Amino acid sequence: MTPSRTLALTEELIALSSITPDDQGCQRRLIALLSPLGFVCETITSNGVTNLWARKGTQAPLFVFAGHTDVVPTGPVEQWQSAPFVPTQRDGKLYGRGAADMKTSLAAMVVACEEFIGAHPGHQGSIAFLLTSDEEGPATDGTVVVCARLEQRGEKIDYCLVGEPTSAHVLGDMIKNGRRGSLSGHLVIKGIQGHIAYPQLARNPIHQGAPALAELVAERWDEGNDYYLPTSWQMSNIHAGTGANNVIAGEMAIDFNFRFSTASTPDGLEARVHAILDKHNLDYTLSWTLSGLPFLTPRGSLSNALSAAILGETGVHTELSTTGGTSDGRFIARICPQVIEFGPPNASIHKIDEHIEVRFIDPLKNIYRRTLENLLA
């Protein structure tokens, strides 16, 4: 049986070992398919990262498919049942690194465009692709660079559909209409090292810091809103001491992270943390890293078009959600009023034996095509 066009292209892309930030020719392959459809393709490189901006048409509204060609490392290859960059079908599933995150989505987007343009050559508006090989890495030379260039040129994006794997159990049961922000802190509480038998000659940063940490754990940062759960604060690493049981530590280092909603701001969260630490009279240093701001697309024309496409193709009533980690949608949301993420089930992403059920591949392509029809036909 001849594989579907989308399945065949997915397998082609999986076979290209594009471990971040190396594109390995994925975008070159997609350019070869998009150019004959009328897309003007522009490769934008930055510090070893390969980005693609491909646009067909000049009229508004502009609909953008966004995604990434890079994948995370495979982990121990010997633990895979089949080679991670040899696409392999077993028991109705397609295995390979990137199968779910997100080479199936890329293939589905391209084939959806082929079908849509073929059926509607005089469609309204414009269609574009924004792709990067830097989403799984630092994300400093990818989508953010392309967005900056588009903003400089005055190119306005009206709708953006990001192909991240968002479904939970079956295709279409969840789409992301926003993501929480990520704010990390590295806290060092300073003490005075000394012999544990002479605590009066030392200052124990663990003892001094514990009440403040307990207060940070118990703090209610916000109440969230209609789309977001309340902001969370979590410690990820804590270290103090020399390893000996008779030495009071000289300092304690803590790494923590906020996943915050649009109900809070980075400045506000930072100020509240400092206020708690200062209240406990700690001698400390604290450095901050803002990985991404939250974004939110309220229910509107894009989410309605996608929801209708999902229902029409699968019969599934989708759920809007803002759960999960960050994505490049946070950069696109700065220049686009409606950003939605939708793709295949995500249970196997970043894992050994990453896979997608073959039965979801063509319906995903059809959902992307139906969304285009709902907005531009």
Side-chain angles (χ1 to χ4, degrees):
M1 181 177 176
T2 303
S4 77
R5 178 94 174 95
T6 311
L7 173 58
L9 181 54
T10 299
E11 291 179 334
E12 277 190 66
L13 295 174
I14 290 173
L16 299 172
S17 55
S18 54
I19 297 174
T20 190
D22 192 348
D23 175 68
Q24 279 290 314
C26 290
Q27 293 176 31
R28 204 161 48 240
R29 176 65 181 124
L30 299 179
I31 289 171
L33 297 170
L34 293 172
S35 295
L37 299 176
F39 284 85
V40 177
C41 299
E42 178 184 1
T43 296
I44 302 169
T45 58
S46 177
N47 294 320
V49 171
T50 306
N51 304 299
L52 174 64
W53 174 249
R55 176 168 179 164
K56 176 186 180 293
T58 59
Q59 301 300 310
L62 172 58
F63 180 101
V64 173
F65 282 116
H68 58 91
T69 53
D70 60 323
V71 297
V72 295
T74 63
V77 174
E78 65 275 8
Q79 293 184 20
W80 287 69
Q81 293 185 56
S82 52
F85 295 111
V86 177
T88 305
Q89 292 188 45
R90 292 192 307 275
D91 302 321
K93 298 173 182 176
L94 174 63
Y95 288 83
R97 176 57 85 222
D101 189 14
M102 55 175 286
K103 291 185 173 178
T104 300
S105 295
L106 296 177
M109 290 170 173
V110 172
V111 178
C113 282
E114 290 176 345
E115 294 183 357
F116 173 74
I117 293 168
H120 307 278
H123 65 82
Q124 304 171 30
S126 306
I127 307 171
F129 281 76
L130 196 171
L131 306 180
T132 182
S133 68
D134 184 39
E135 197 273 346
E136 300 289 11
T140 54
D141 290 282
T143 299
V144 65
V145 169
V146 180
C147 288
R149 182 167 298 192
L150 296 177
E151 192 169 25
Q152 290 169 1
R153 297 197 305 221
E155 289 194 64
K156 305 290 187 182
I157 301 175
D158 297 286
Y159 310 112
C160 182
L161 179 52
V162 187
E164 289 292 340
T166 61
S167 300
H169 304 292
V170 297
L171 181 67
D173 61 359
M174 184 176 291
I175 63 179
K176 305 289 187 181
N177 66 319
R179 295 278 191 166
R180 295 177 294 176
S182 178
L183 175 65
S184 297
H186 179 70
L187 170 65
V188 178
I189 299 173
K190 300 174 184 179
I192 298 175
Q193 183 174 304
H195 196 294
I196 209 159
Y198 300 95
Q200 72 276 16
L201 302 178
R203 190 172 76 244
N204 194 322
I206 304 173
H207 291 189
Q208 288 200 313
L213 295 179
E215 187 169 341
L216 289 167
V217 169
E219 183 76 1
R220 185 77 170 180
W221 302 98
D222 60 43
E223 300 303 319
N225 54 38
D226 290 344
Y227 293 99
Y228 284 99
L229 294 172
T231 291
S232 69
W233 183 88
Q234 292 288 320
M235 285 183 281
S236 56
N237 293 282
I238 185 166
H239 176 77
T242 64
N245 65 3
N246 61 352
V247 179
I248 293 173
E251 65 179 32
M252 177 169 62
I254 301 105
D255 292 313
F256 63 82
N257 177 266
F258 281 106
R259 291 302 166 103
F260 63 99
S261 74
T262 51
S264 291
T265 66
D267 289 346
L269 294 173
E270 290 179 16
R272 289 171 65 183
V273 170
H274 281 284
I276 290 172
L277 297 173
D278 293 341
K279 183 174 72 174
H280 290 269
N281 297 313
L282 299 177
D283 181 8
Y284 70 92
T285 61
L286 176 52
S287 58
W288 295 95
T289 302
L290 178 63
S291 302
L293 293 168
F295 74 91
L296 179 66
T297 299
R299 190 178 294 278
S301 51
L302 177 56
S303 61
N304 290 340
L306 177 57
S307 298
I310 292 170
L311 182 63
E313 181 65 27
T314 67
V316 172
H317 291 272
T318 195
E319 173 189 354
L320 293 180
S321 172
T322 59
T323 58
T326 59
S327 78
D328 278 2
R330 67 190 188 274
F331 303 126
I332 301 168
R334 299 177 191 175
I335 63 170
C336 176
Q338 297 190 55
V339 180
I340 295 287
E341 301 175 14
F342 173 67
N346 55 27
S348 71
I349 62 174
H350 293 206
K351 292 183 178 181
I352 301 292
D353 290 333
E354 180 181 348
H355 61 270
I356 182 173
E357 293 188 50
V358 174
R359 67 188 177 102
F360 292 148
I361 293 178
D362 278 323
L364 177 62
K365 174 262 297 180
N366 293 340
I367 290 168
Y368 288 156
R369 189 200 68 241
R370 285 172 179 256
T371 302
L372 287 172
E373 290 168 348
N374 290 341
L375 290 170
L376 301 182

